[in-house]
Amino acid sequence: MLELNGLNKTFNYGTPDEVKALSEVSLGIASGSFTVILGTNGSGKSTLLNAVAGTFIVDSGAIRLNGRDITASPEHVRAAFIGRVFQNPFSGTAPNMTIAENLSIASMRGKNRRFSTALSGAAMDGFYSRVKELNMGLEDRLENNIGSLSGGQRQALTLLMACWNRPELLLLDEHTAALDPKTGAKVLELTKTVIEKDKLTTFMVTHSMQQAVNLGDRIVMVYKGKIIHDFSGADKKALKPKDLYELFEDIKRREMIDPATSEILKANYV
Amino acid sequence: MYKRLKYSEWLIYYPAKLFPALALIFAASALLLFSSQKAAEKAGGTAGKFFRLAVVAYSDTPISEEGRRGIKDGLMETGMDEKRDYEMAEYSAHSDAAALNGIIDAVKNADYDLIFTISTPALQAALKKIQKTPVVFSSTGDPIGAGAGKSFSSHAENVTGICSMSDFSGMIKLVKEISPDVKKIGTVFCPAEINSVLYKDCLKKAAEGEGISLETVPANSAGEVADAANSLCEGRGVEIICQIADNLSAASFPAILKAAAAERIPVFGFIESDAKKGAALSYAKDYYRGGIDSAKLAFRILKGEKPAGIPFEYISKTTLVINKKAAETAGIKIPKAVADRADSFIE
Amino acid sequence: MPLLLGTFTIGFILSILAIGALISFRIFNFADITSEGSLALGASAAAVLIAARSFDPFTVLLIASAAGAAAGAVTGVLHTKFKINALLAGILVMTALYSVNLHVMGKSNVALMNEETVFTFFNKCLSISETANKTVSVFGWPAGAKDLSGAALSFILALVCGTALFWFLRTELGSAMRATGDNPQMASALGVNTDLMVIAGLALSNALAALSGALLASYQGFADVQIGIGMLVWGLASVIIGETLVREKSIGLAITSAVMGSVFFRLLVAIALRFGMNPNDMKLITALFVLMALILPSLGRGGKFFKKKADPKEDAAATKPSEIV
Ligand SMILES: Nc1ncnc2c1ncn2[C@@H]1O[C@H](COP(=O)(O)OP(=O)(O)OP(=O)(O)O)[C@@H](O)[C@H]1O
Ligand SMILES: [Mg+2]
């Protein structure tokens, strides 16, 4: 159970670049549920995920994960419970280290790292069998640097790494957006399999209406740092991509009108 | 099951990768070995009336250049002629400790007849490594502290040299003669230079013996000397600056003169050229003299004396140079008794 | 022969500094100039402790390294906790260490003439007399027994440090440290305390620098407060020359190549000195060596001598599906 309570975050406070990226965001997410977050560019989706992951500490509000208050914990402490996949395929892996070394770091998430060999024979066998499940032929390249892999391969590995030790919460930030459609679809398929297998609580940002409709059991729509729509249960099931398009059109229209109306008001009253 | 490289495969893989590097190191070693062997043979062949000398300096400062100049002039005074009687190789470590060790190794290997060291670290590096070739040091304030021996007469067998201690009590006497009421003198010193700290302490002792207190301000780099000098001259009641001789202040002496001039404080220097640069007077047993004296010791050794039998010496001669104009500008009168003793004047 | 052995000894002693520099320069991607101060700190601490004669020479090395580690940790804290630019943090600590070193020694230079150092201790173990200049024959070349044992000891110590670092970098903690330098975002997301890793890494790097300084002081018989000046450049030069020689970046080879680079570099300098280079040109020539090491590989890159590295930009430019808003 993830509970967000009145989260606020303002970037560059007190400067001309001030952005209110999150304002009074409250959300409760049941364990085992799959929530998709939608919103236009700059609406605050990534910021929301980063707030949960601990990339920054929120200005106010509270974040609780399965009863623990993690509002003020640093990122690496929360990482014990949270797995993440980033939009950029290069963010989630260490390029100058081998596949095996990357996996070994992931396999220690939430555990005490010690002075014992990272790549013991047993560990290598473990990496081999789980990488083999990806069906990408990477199991024979465990000692190659990750930097030599394609974006899709790296993203698949990042996903594997994020879920290596079952996380209490999985955060996916447009993790297929930078891949070509075919690879993207493959990684998405993989995502579904992993989530279903481990019954992971998932929080996924996407720009794809189709993905939003196909995946998950809840859709949260964000606009200017606020939650403006929240569909779950039967409402969510009933949604079609077309409905979502319309909601977006609506937002766009509002954005168009807002400045215009204010101009009219100004002309009349100032 | 993951198949790792077998150990036997590593045994091929690693050496293959390292081979070019190993080959290069081997080649360089061989070059060094053979060339140094040749040098040693050559040295053996020419040893006779013609001498091969080396000068090793630790840093490049006015003081080590003065020392080198002194050695050359000193050798000339003994009647030796460069080219006819000796050749002299000059080395400087540019203040780099690793290079200093390399130079000492190279010098040792080349079998020179005699090695001059300039400054304390150069002497110390030579002490550790050179046991046979005679070493003559100069520009070293405290050879005993540097580890060259137990006393001036009982010391390392192949080492002797000139202790470059200034004449502090002589300077204090001068100060008393010139202005009898002086209560406070001052100097800038460099905590990083072993000689500088030593000289500061000696000057303090000499001054306090005459009821004068010594005000000191530390400076660690050339950039800090001007600030240190300003701080020394302003509001501390320093009446005369007796600037001790160290690398840092020698290199930045004009900055000290400038600060003193602004407050009309006379400057007395311990390096002969100080007076020429604008100090009111210089009373010098300086590094140039030290170089000359060490060249004379070297001459005795080359003529067959054993260094073990030559005690360390202080610099032989003290030179008093008076800069009349600078003294006048600073508002001091040089008594006739002092002026009569001067070796030279700068008008 | 003494020239060659002396060159190897200094090469191995400074290779410990070089593998320390490898940590800051190749793992965390910045040149940590704290090492110059740490090297002098190690030398000062060792000289004072040796002169005090209250510890055995190996304990002295450990204490000196610990002092260096503390200095590195300070740089790490300044950089991670106070967000001071890494280069600047290094400069600050190096500057401060200058005064610290003067305090440690109480003066600017401490001489160690007849004290027991690791080198004399090793000679004692091999029953080599300090005073008699015994020579032994190495492949027909006469070599001073003391010179030989000095080179052997420094080789053993470099080997021990290199092996220890190799082992450490392959442990769970060590790979977390490497990941921190390689991709801090990833490391953090996988639960690595990146700040701690940077602090620990710099501490380790500076402990090695200090050890190198302590050995240098023991070997040359004195410590001077200026002993560290310019050393980082030589350490980095060794790393770069080593990489050029070996051209492979796996951990074991990187460490080995740094050691080889250090030895090779000292050999080049010794050869230059041997052939009567004008002393004023020394720094210029050493700079040219490093420059050569830097540009030689890029001259060869036109051909197929080097494996092509993956170009991140190519993959990142993949197109988005059309259904995306
Ligand atoms: N670290 C930061 N510093 C300053 N402003 C930031 C920072 N991170 C985000 N912002 C601002 O906060 C707002 C929300 O950004 P966010 O990245 O969350 O949008 P998004 O919904 O993820 O958009 P996109 O679909 O383009 O990824 C934007 O206006 C952005 O400029
Ligand atoms: Mg985003």
Side-chain angles (χ1 to χ4, degrees):
Chain A
M1 175 83 183
L2 173 71
E3 297 156 81
L4 308 180
N5 225 323
L7 298 187
N8 283 296
K9 179 71 193 176
T10 307
F11 288 113
N12 306 322
Y13 183 78
T15 70
D17 300 329
E18 184 174 313
V19 186
K20 190 139 180 55
L22 290 181
S23 94
E24 292 301 326
V25 174
S26 298
L27 201 61
I29 295 189
S31 292
S33 70
F34 187 155
T35 307
V36 178
I37 306 174
L38 281 176
T40 50
N41 289 116
S43 54
K45 307 180 294 293
S46 298
T47 308
L48 181 57
L49 254 58
N50 288 341
V52 174
T55 311
F56 53 80
I57 304 291
V58 288
D59 297 339
S60 64
I63 307 172
R64 298 174 70 79
L65 180 61
N66 294 340
R68 279 182 231 98
D69 186 352
I70 56 168
T71 319
S73 341
E75 187 174 4
H76 67 91
V77 173
R78 300 186 202 190
F81 326 112
I82 298 176
R84 294 177 80 181
V85 184
F86 305 92
Q87 172 171 4
N88 185 339
F90 304 103
S91 299
T93 48
N96 296 311
M97 298 174 74
T98 63
I99 298 180
E101 285 169 335
N102 273 276
L103 292 174
S104 86
I105 290 162
S107 70
M108 293 308 296
R109 187 173 58 76
K111 296 184 188 163
N112 242 341
R113 287 169 216 272
R114 286 164 309 168
F115 287 105
S116 46
T117 312
L119 304 180
S120 63
M124 288 301 270
D125 293 342
F127 301 153
Y128 184 83
S129 57
R130 282 187 71 170
V131 172
K132 199 165 183 199
E133 288 167 20
L134 293 181
N135 272 331
M136 289 176 141
L138 294 177
E139 62 276 11
D140 295 318
R141 297 172 62 182
L142 289 185
E143 282 176 307
N144 289 20
N145 278 358
I146 277 206
S148 65
L149 304 187
S150 76
Q153 289 169 325
R154 287 174 74 164
Q155 206 64 331
L157 282 173
T158 311
L159 184 69
L160 183 67
M161 284 159 61
C163 307
W164 194 275
N165 301 330
R166 184 177 178 278
E168 292 176 22
L169 177 67
L170 178 63
L171 301 178
L172 306 171
D173 190 352
E174 301 184 51
H175 67 302
T176 59
L179 309 176
D180 69 66
K182 218 175 111 208
T183 320
K186 204 167 168 195
V187 171
L188 202 65
E189 202 49 48
L190 191 68
T191 313
K192 265 200 291 202
T193 327
V194 174
I195 291 173
E196 274 161 23
K197 196 179 101 210
D198 279 350
K199 312 220 163 22
L200 297 175
T201 316
T202 309
F203 222 27
M204 177 171 108
V205 173
T206 182
H207 277 290
S208 158
M209 305 297 157
Q210 198 59 52
Q211 279 180 21
V213 170
N214 292 352
L215 291 170
D217 40 32
R218 184 167 173 187
I219 291 180
V220 170
M221 202 177 252
V222 183
Y223 178 63
K224 286 197 172 170
K226 288 199 182 82
I227 295 178
I228 51 164
H229 294 290
D230 187 348
F231 304 100
S232 52
D235 292 348
K236 152 77 173 67
K237 289 221 175 70
L239 278 175
K240 299 258 152 1
K242 205 175 102 241
D243 307 327
L244 289 170
Y245 271 122
E246 266 160 27
L247 287 171
F248 268 98
E249 287 303 318
D250 205 37
I251 291 172
K252 273 191 191 153
R253 231 173 291 131
R254 245 192 278 174
E255 268 181 343
M256 302 274 277
I257 286 166
D258 272 355
T261 29
S262 69
E263 280 308 309
I264 295 166
L265 290 174
K266 248 193 218 162
N268 288 346
Y269 295 98
V270 180
Chain B
M1 281 291 283
Y2 180 70
K3 270 214 275 351
R4 292 184 155 205
L5 274 184
K6 285 199 217 79
Y7 283 106
S8 54
E9 286 169 306
W10 284 112
L11 280 181
I12 300 167
Y13 179 74
Y14 267 99
K17 283 280 169 198
L18 295 178
F19 179 73
L22 280 171
L24 269 174
I25 288 179
F26 186 77
S29 306
L31 178 61
L32 193 60
L33 198 53
F34 282 103
S35 69
S36 56
Q37 188 66 14
K38 254 196 282 169
E41 277 164 15
K42 204 174 96 198
T46 51
K49 276 276 169 281
F50 188 80
F51 299 110
R52 296 172 63 251
L53 313 178
V55 184
V56 179
Y58 178 55
S59 52
D60 312 283
T61 55
I63 281 181
S64 46
E65 278 156 19
E66 287 282 287
R68 247 184 303 192
R69 197 164 62 85
I71 290 173
K72 282 192 172 163
D73 290 0
L75 285 173
M76 206 144 70
E77 280 181 28
T78 64
M80 301 230 302
D81 180 58
E82 191 160 5
K83 294 216 175 86
R84 189 193 67 201
D85 298 319
Y86 72 93
E87 64 179 17
M88 192 156 78
E90 297 180 25
Y91 297 91
S92 161
H94 305 305
S95 320
D96 182 333
L100 180 62
N101 282 287
I103 288 172
I104 293 290
D105 280 326
V107 163
K108 178 181 181 183
N109 188 68
D111 266 341
Y112 285 99
D113 296 303
L114 186 139
I115 296 159
F116 290 102
T117 62
I118 294 179
S119 82
T120 307
L123 168 63
Q124 286 173 316
L127 279 173
K128 190 76 186 182
K129 289 196 165 174
I130 298 180
Q131 270 88 27
K132 284 205 205 94
T133 316
V135 172
V136 178
F137 63 82
S138 59
S139 302
T140 301
D142 182 10
I144 306 302
K150 283 199 209 63
S151 71
F152 270 37
S153 51
S154 154
H155 52 70
E157 285 193 355
N158 62 325
V159 177
T160 190
I162 300 297
C163 171
S164 59
M165 187 76 84
S166 309
D167 181 359
F168 296 103
S169 51
M171 173 65 99
I172 296 297
K173 272 196 208 107
L174 266 180
V175 167
K176 275 272 181 196
E177 265 181 86
I178 293 169
S179 42
D181 313 323
V182 74
K183 283 276 161 308
K184 198 183 253 181
I185 59 175
T187 185
V188 176
F189 75 105
C190 174
E193 287 181 43
I194 187 93
N195 287 351
S196 184
V197 177
L198 180 74
Y199 293 173
K200 178 207 74 177
D201 293 340
C202 291
L203 179 62
K204 193 179 175 86
K205 217 161 123 202
E208 280 168 0
E210 296 288 331
I212 300 173
S213 66
L214 175 70
E215 193 77 17
T216 62
V217 179
N220 276 309
S221 64
E224 293 170 33
V225 173
D227 284 342
N230 284 330
S231 141
L232 185 64
C233 295
E234 280 178 39
R236 292 188 188 228
V238 171
E239 294 152 87
I240 296 176
I241 290 183
C242 288
Q243 181 54 49
I244 57 172
D246 58 40
N247 283 308
L248 190 64
S249 66
S252 323
F253 197 65
I256 298 173
L257 286 173
K258 209 171 139 205
E263 302 286 323
R264 286 192 33 140
I265 299 175
V267 178
F268 294 2
F270 283 98
I271 298 178
E272 193 173 326
S273 58
D274 286 352
K276 199 150 74 198
K277 288 180 186 159
L281 64 80
S282 61
Y283 187 65
K285 273 189 163 181
D286 63 12
Y287 295 101
Y288 173 69
R289 281 278 151 216
I292 293 182
D293 288 347
S294 66
K296 290 185 174 158
L297 287 187
F299 184 69
R300 285 164 62 187
I301 295 168
L302 294 176
K303 282 279 157 289
E305 263 188 73
K306 291 263 163 295
I310 306 179
F312 301 162
E313 290 175 7
Y314 286 104
I315 293 166
S316 59
K317 189 165 172 291
T318 317
T319 322
L320 176 62
V321 181
I322 296 173
N323 185 329
K324 285 186 174 163
K325 197 166 145 241
E328 211 170 283
T329 329
I332 52 169
K333 280 212 181 61
I334 307 285
K336 190 164 177 310
V338 174
D340 284 348
R341 296 208 305 269
D343 295 87
S344 64
F345 292 93
I346 289 162
E347 302 293 331
Chain C
M1 202 67 183
L3 176 55
L4 183 65
L5 290 175
T7 306
F8 270 99
T9 312
I10 294 285
F12 285 127
I13 290 177
L14 291 183
S15 74
I16 298 176
L17 169 74
I19 59 178
L22 191 71
I23 299 176
S24 61
F25 191 52
R26 281 302 178 222
I27 294 186
F28 297 118
N29 302 314
F30 76 94
D32 176 24
I33 200 158
T34 319
S35 333
E36 293 200 352
S38 308
L39 185 129
L41 177 64
S44 313
V48 167
L49 291 171
I50 289 171
R53 300 188 185 178
S54 35
F55 296 100
D56 72 89
F58 284 97
T59 314
V60 167
L61 293 186
L62 284 183
I63 299 175
S65 314
V74 172
T75 304
V77 168
L78 290 184
H79 175 46
T80 55
K81 303 292 178 198
F82 297 99
K83 307 282 174 246
I84 297 172
N85 173 291
L87 273 180
L88 187 59
I91 292 172
L92 286 176
V93 175
M94 177 196 65
T95 310
L97 279 177
Y98 196 85
S99 297
V100 172
N101 295 339
L102 283 172
H103 275 294
V104 169
M105 292 195 284
K107 47 188 173 176
S108 68
N109 180 301
V110 170
L112 304 169
M113 286 329 283
N114 298 310
E115 309 291 348
E116 175 160 78
T117 68
V118 275
F119 290 96
T120 61
F121 181 81
F122 191 61
N123 285 340
K124 212 164 65 188
C125 297
L126 299 176
S127 37
I128 297 172
S129 147
E130 282 302 315
T131 43
N133 287 315
K134 212 176 86 188
T135 55
V136 290
S137 161
V138 182
F139 302 119
W141 300 85
K146 267 192 323 181
D147 296 337
L148 207 56
S149 84
L153 177 62
S154 53
F155 172 70
I156 293 170
L157 290 171
L159 189 71
V160 168
C161 292
T163 313
L165 184 64
F166 175 70
W167 166 80
F168 169 70
L169 289 179
R170 290 163 55 94
T171 61
E172 292 161 2
L173 275 168
S175 41
M177 184 180 283
R178 284 190 294 140
T180 301
D182 204 9
N183 184 347
Q185 188 183 11
M186 167 264 197
S188 197
L190 291 175
V192 176
N193 185 345
T194 48
D195 285 0
L196 190 66
M197 285 299 150
V198 172
I199 296 170
L202 292 183
L204 185 58
S205 159
N206 283 283
L208 289 168
L211 176 60
S212 172
L215 285 172
L216 192 58
S218 308
Y219 175 66
Q220 67 182 8
F222 70 97
D224 191 279
V225 70
Q226 313 209 22
I227 200 171
I229 292 176
M231 286 295 183
L232 179 66
V233 178
W234 302 151
L236 295 182
S238 307
V239 171
I240 291 165
I241 291 178
E243 282 173 358
T244 308
L245 293 178
V246 176
R247 298 180 194 158
E248 173 101 8
K249 286 182 182 160
S250 77
I251 319 166
L253 284 172
I255 294 173
T256 319
S257 73
V259 175
M260 289 178 136
S262 170
V263 171
F264 188 60
F265 182 57
R266 297 308 339 167
L267 278 170
L268 290 182
V269 174
I271 290 172
L273 276 171
R274 165 66 203 89
F275 284 99
M277 160 193 65
N278 180 340
N280 292 343
D281 292 341
M282 198 178 80
K283 295 238 165 171
L284 180 65
I285 290 184
T286 41
L288 285 178
F289 289 149
V290 179
L291 184 68
M292 251 156 54
L294 282 171
I295 56 181
L296 277 183
S298 60
L299 291 182
R301 202 160 283 159
K304 284 179 185 152
F305 298 105
F306 293 83
K307 257 188 281 171
K308 190 169 150 276
K309 256 187 145 185
D311 183 0
K313 282 179 213 100
E314 276 177 19
D315 303 278
T319 45
K320 288 190 179 188
S322 53
E323 51 161 350
I324 285 172
V325 177

